[in-house]
Amino acid sequence: MRTNEQWMEAHFTAFQLHAPNITQLELQYADLASDEFAAAIRHAPSLTHLKLFQCPGFDDSVINALHYKDGTTPLVPRLHSLVLEDMDQDVTDDILANMIASRWWTDAALASRAVPPQVARWTCVVLWYDLSGHLLLQDMPSDILITSLVS
């Protein structure tokens, strides 16, 4: 069933609080403000898969919120699959690349860490444009970082 109802953050948050084990979230044409996106993600601690299609509010501030830093409590620590399709290109390449790189380690880098990271490593990142040449993402395998421009 598809609906064009008005976004009701309070209702969605109430639903999420009663269903804390949501692992997948897919939003299409969601005209949410960045703080509404952040709230939807914040209230989904078990989230493993996030898929967005034409969601203009998914901006640099939301991308920064997903950035992982050692020693901080991570947002959606189990997230390992991110699909961004046909998105507005008003995001900053460096901010997006930094966030992706903050949740990716080669096997060797992961094995050399004294303390394992508090977030899952990416298993799949699908982007609507080619960011694979970015310096921070050059170590990511092409079967994990998939872009719309890569055949």
Side-chain angles (χ1 to χ4, degrees):
M1 179 171 146
R2 294 182 187 252
T3 178
N4 291 327
E5 291 182 22
Q6 183 75 15
W7 174 260
M8 301 290 291
E9 182 180 344
H11 294 273
F12 190 71
T13 299
F15 168 74
Q16 286 180 294
L17 294 175
H18 290 293
N21 296 323
I22 295 171
T23 59
Q24 297 185 32
L25 181 60
E26 180 176 339
L27 298 173
Q28 297 181 12
Y29 305 101
D31 191 19
L32 305 179
S34 59
D35 60 331
E36 293 170 326
F37 265 113
I41 294 167
R42 186 177 311 104
H43 295 298
S46 298
L47 193 66
T48 60
H49 294 73
L50 178 61
K51 182 176 182 179
L52 303 176
F53 181 83
Q54 288 194 1
C55 298
F58 189 80
D59 60 11
D60 286 347
S61 65
V62 178
I63 294 167
N64 274 326
L66 289 171
H67 190 277
Y68 172 66
K69 294 178 184 126
D70 284 331
T72 62
T73 302
L75 186 65
V76 289
R78 298 177 185 170
L79 183 66
H80 62 83
S81 178
L82 176 66
V83 177
L84 303 175
E85 295 180 344
D86 202 15
M87 301 289 283
D88 186 0
Q89 285 189 276
D90 284 339
V91 301
T92 306
D93 287 356
D94 287 342
I95 291 174
L96 182 59
N98 272 310
M99 183 277 292
I100 294 168
S102 77
R103 291 172 171 250
W104 171 256
W105 307 270
T106 62
D107 289 341
L110 189 56
S112 70
R113 293 179 67 116
V115 177
Q118 295 180 350
V119 294
R121 178 170 69 168
W122 295 119
T123 59
C124 180
V125 176
V126 178
L127 300 177
W128 73 102
Y129 71 106
D130 193 2
L131 195 59
S132 62
H134 196 285
L135 180 65
L136 293 171
L137 304 177
Q138 290 178 345
D139 289 337
M140 285 189 75
S142 61
D143 63 329
I144 298 205
L145 178 60
I146 303 164
T147 66
S148 62
L149 300 179
V150 176
S151 52

